[in-house]
Amino acid sequence: MWDRKELKSHARVSMRYNYWRCVIIAAILLFCIADFTFTKFNIVSSTIEVAKTINKDNWSYKQGFVGLQFKGKSNTEIINNFIHGITGEEPKMQKRYEGVLGSFINNINASDSVLFGILNTFNQFAFDDSLSAGVIILLGVILSILAIIFVKNLIVVGGCRFYMENHAYYSTDLVRIFMPFRVKKIRKQVVTMLMRSIYQFLWWFTIVGGFIKMYSYRLVPYIVAENPDVDYKTAINLSSRMMKGQKWNAFLLDLSFLGWRVGGYLSGGLLDIFIGNPYKSSTNVELYFELRKEALTAGIEDSSVLNDKYLEPESDSEVATGIGADYVDEYFTIPVYFKRMTYMGAVRKYTVLSYVLMFYVFAFGGWIWEVSFFLFMDGKFVKRGTMFGPWLPIYGFGGIIALICLHRFVKKPWFVFFCSFVLSGIIEYSTAWYLWETKKMKWWDYTNEFMNLNGRICLEGLLLFSVGCMLIIYYIAPHLDDLLKRINYKVRVIIAIILLIISTIDWVYSQSHPNTGEGITTSTLTVLSLQMGKQI
């Protein structure tokens, strides 16, 4: 019989060796479960509440519920009024931001839902807010159900897989949470988790039965995480057998975390995030392994599906890895697809000539990007940049600096992304400061963007630049370098010299006669006047 204190002691050990990853996985699980639960929206209440809140003066009727349209109001406003009508709360005045990310924030604030915020933003940009509120609500309900079935449930299984591996392999990687998606058994996993939810839901009609079955089916996601090929009947029945006679003790185990829950509430959730949730998840895994060991020892029916012996390498003399090593995909009882990314293409040294030519490719690519963006958004051609040629040096310098500084860290993609974010911020901010202070002109201004710094940089832009740097380092630069090397060396040298001469002449001329005009620049005096006018 397992001991509660012993389980928690083992959980603290495994959590301590891989603390931050345990915290991150627990936070992801909490976010998924919280974001995909129906607290304000479900199929029945959505339809009923819409029917209750219809104002015949503001509605036109077209083909029933899906065709309902409000007159004179955007869908964001309709969703906002709809939600606060359900909750009885007054809509809060929120600052309005510009840009795509700003629109997401505006819509999320308006609807109190990430999903509905995304739908409304897509509606505004793609359909000019022309989709009816009924369509938005219906899409939101459908996508919520699909997200629960195909994303949330598999993420829960993946979280269990991470903590199960972390039980023995103290350097378990974060990507193990995606293990369910990397085996060709997704359909079985989805069906098993869905049937577990349906059974649980039906048992709640008996009130007491729902509470009991919550503990009976507790081990299903762990069984699926160990063996994704198991069918739903076997997983549910095996979990019930393993939990037979253990439900009260499991309840007491949950009750022992009550103090942490109270502490989490008093700390505004911080204690839950950094200790409570990862601690409980680690303890639940220890419980699973104790019950798993008992089931295998007793030889209970269907226990043979618990066949991943590498989850407890210390108990098998044939395993050469041992505590502290990584769980290798080849150990898994089912073939694992989508292996870890290899970075051999990005691990290379570039020549000076390649850097020069790639500088102009990146500069030209940045110019094409910005011109295309303005053409798409405003429907007019705007020749962007301070120079007159088809290049934006800031993109060229940014790409080359990222390559030079970060190529040695290519095997740490998250670190590369973070460094790209910082580098992009430094380059863009310093360039903006130089141009604004010396030319008294603004070639860009993020003043109204979400999370901006003095209007010179903003979160949305830095995220885009960071993604761009990642693409350059891992994909564009290696392929471009291979392509350039196919060109005769002398031809490459001649091209580089010509580009250097033309761009140098352009740069010298633009120092005294920069490229300006409508859609390109705004004088600081004009910006100041506009801001003062808004305040007045």
Side-chain angles (χ1 to χ4, degrees):
M1 181 64 186
W2 52 274
D3 180 72
R4 192 163 61 246
K5 291 183 178 179
E6 187 176 348
L7 288 186
K8 297 176 82 170
S9 175
H10 291 163
R12 287 193 296 271
V13 172
S14 62
M15 192 176 96
R16 184 173 69 250
Y17 280 98
N18 208 4
Y19 173 72
W20 285 109
R21 291 176 182 174
C22 290
V23 169
I24 292 172
I25 293 295
I28 291 173
L29 294 175
L30 179 65
F31 173 79
C32 288
I33 294 171
D35 196 54
F36 292 138
T37 51
F38 288 101
T39 55
K40 295 178 180 177
F41 288 94
N42 57 58
I43 295 175
V44 178
S45 66
S46 294
T47 307
I48 293 175
E49 292 299 336
V50 167
K52 285 181 180 180
T53 55
I54 289 179
N55 182 333
K56 293 183 179 180
D57 294 330
N58 291 330
W59 287 78
S60 63
Y61 294 84
K62 293 182 182 178
Q63 301 175 354
F65 172 73
V66 175
L68 290 175
Q69 290 184 330
F70 286 88
K71 295 180 179 179
K73 292 184 177 180
S74 71
N75 285 313
T76 299
E77 293 173 317
I78 298 302
I79 295 294
N80 186 29
N81 294 334
F82 170 63
I83 291 173
H84 291 291
I86 295 175
T87 61
E89 300 172 355
E90 290 294 326
K92 299 177 182 179
M93 294 298 294
Q94 300 283 352
K95 180 180 178 181
R96 306 289 295 181
Y97 298 103
E98 296 179 356
V100 177
L101 184 58
S103 296
F104 278 127
I105 301 301
N106 296 334
N107 287 315
I108 290 170
N109 286 336
S111 61
D112 289 339
S113 167
V114 174
L115 177 59
F116 280 88
I118 293 173
L119 286 174
N120 269 308
T121 302
F122 181 77
N123 185 21
Q124 290 165 4
F125 279 87
F127 299 104
D128 197 24
D129 224 359
S130 60
L131 292 182
S132 69
V135 170
I136 297 296
I137 294 172
L138 186 60
L139 281 174
V141 172
I142 293 172
L143 289 175
S144 295
I145 295 173
L146 292 176
I148 290 173
I149 295 173
F150 293 101
V151 179
K152 178 251 183 180
N153 282 343
L154 291 185
I155 288 293
V156 169
V157 173
C160 293
R161 182 71 199 187
F162 170 85
Y163 281 104
M164 288 164 69
E165 291 186 16
N166 193 63
H167 160 78
Y169 301 89
Y170 293 164
S171 59
T172 300
D173 202 327
L174 290 172
V175 297
R176 305 310 287 180
I177 194 173
F178 300 114
M179 188 67 169
F181 301 94
R182 300 174 64 207
V183 295
K184 291 185 176 180
K185 301 294 178 181
I186 289 181
R187 184 183 62 82
K188 280 195 171 183
Q189 297 176 78
V190 166
V191 170
T192 300
M193 294 299 290
L194 177 61
M195 294 305 298
R196 175 200 183 221
S197 299
I198 291 174
Y199 282 13
Q200 182 71 62
F201 173 75
L202 294 175
W203 274 107
W204 277 113
F205 284 105
T206 65
I207 303 176
V208 176
F211 184 77
I212 294 174
K213 292 300 178 180
M214 181 176 67
Y215 282 93
S216 294
Y217 305 153
R218 179 173 183 147
L219 304 182
V220 170
Y222 297 95
I223 295 171
V224 175
E226 178 170 355
N227 188 349
D229 198 30
V230 66
D231 64 89
Y232 78 89
K233 289 183 179 179
T234 300
I236 291 174
N237 291 335
L238 179 57
S239 176
S240 298
R241 296 187 190 102
M242 292 172 69
M243 289 299 296
K244 186 177 181 180
Q246 306 289 346
K247 300 181 190 67
W248 176 251
N249 291 327
F251 170 73
L252 293 178
L253 179 64
D254 290 342
L255 202 62
S256 68
F257 287 93
L258 182 61
W260 291 106
R261 294 304 180 203
V262 173
Y265 176 79
L266 295 176
S267 64
L270 291 178
L271 200 61
D272 279 337
I273 293 173
F274 291 105
I275 300 179
N277 291 332
Y279 185 19
K280 186 174 182 180
S281 295
S282 299
T283 304
N284 285 335
V285 161
E286 296 297 330
L287 173 63
Y288 171 74
F289 277 108
E290 284 296 324
L291 298 180
R292 176 181 182 273
K293 188 184 300 181
E294 292 179 9
L296 290 173
T297 301
I300 66 173
E301 187 179 353
D302 293 325
S303 62
S304 59
V305 302
L306 308 177
N307 57 359
D308 191 349
K309 63 181 181 179
Y310 294 99
L311 286 173
E312 291 193 278
E314 70 274 18
S315 63
D316 194 327
S317 58
E318 296 179 2
V319 180
T321 54
I323 298 294
D326 288 328
Y327 184 101
V328 181
D329 285 341
E330 282 71 17
Y331 296 167
F332 204 47
T333 54
I334 299 172
V336 177
Y337 300 88
F338 309 112
K339 303 272 185 195
R340 290 186 181 183
M341 182 187 297
T342 58
Y343 309 106
M344 293 306 295
V347 181
R348 63 173 66 197
K349 291 183 179 181
Y350 298 98
T351 64
V352 174
L353 182 58
S354 290
Y355 279 132
V356 171
L357 292 174
M358 285 193 291
F359 168 86
Y360 287 102
V361 173
F362 300 155
F364 177 70
W367 185 84
I368 291 292
W369 161 259
E370 293 208 3
V371 169
S372 301
F373 179 80
F374 276 86
L375 187 63
F376 176 78
M377 296 299 295
D378 300 331
K380 59 183 180 181
F381 176 81
V382 177
K383 187 159 65 70
R384 297 288 295 166
T386 62
M387 300 170 68
F388 291 87
W391 39 55
L392 295 176
I394 188 172
Y395 285 89
F397 282 117
I400 297 303
I401 291 174
L403 279 177
I404 294 174
C405 296
L406 303 179
H407 79 277
R408 69 189 67 182
F409 305 114
V410 291
K411 293 184 179 180
K412 300 178 180 180
W414 287 109
F415 182 73
V416 171
F417 182 84
F418 172 76
C419 292
S420 299
F421 186 90
V422 175
L423 277 175
S424 299
I426 293 173
I427 294 170
E428 189 175 27
Y429 190 94
S430 58
T431 304
W433 176 87
Y434 171 77
L435 292 175
W436 294 13
E437 296 299 323
T438 60
K439 308 300 181 185
K440 304 303 179 185
M441 292 281 181
K442 294 187 175 182
W443 277 262
W444 63 87
D445 188 357
Y446 301 126
T447 301
N448 294 321
E449 300 285 341
F450 175 67
M451 292 189 69
N452 71 88
L453 181 60
N454 298 328
R456 291 167 179 159
I457 57 175
C458 69
L459 179 61
E460 180 178 330
L462 295 184
L463 289 175
L464 285 174
F465 291 143
S466 300
V467 171
C469 286
M470 297 286 285
L471 289 174
I472 287 174
I473 293 171
Y474 291 103
Y475 183 78
I476 297 175
H479 286 78
L480 183 58
D481 188 45
D482 291 337
L483 185 63
L484 290 173
K485 287 179 179 178
R486 295 181 183 179
I487 303 173
N488 182 272
Y489 178 77
K490 291 183 179 180
V491 175
R492 279 183 282 157
V493 171
I494 293 172
I495 294 173
I497 292 173
I498 292 173
L499 289 173
L500 282 168
I501 293 173
I502 295 174
S503 61
T504 302
I505 294 172
D506 190 355
W507 180 79
V508 172
Y509 180 76
S510 64
Q511 291 304 299
S512 55
H513 301 84
N515 179 35
T516 60
E518 184 181 356
I520 302 173
T521 56
T522 305
S523 68
T524 53
L525 180 60
T526 303
V527 172
L528 182 60
S529 299
L530 289 172
Q531 291 175 345
M532 292 177 65
K534 289 178 181 179
Q535 294 174 356
I536 293 173

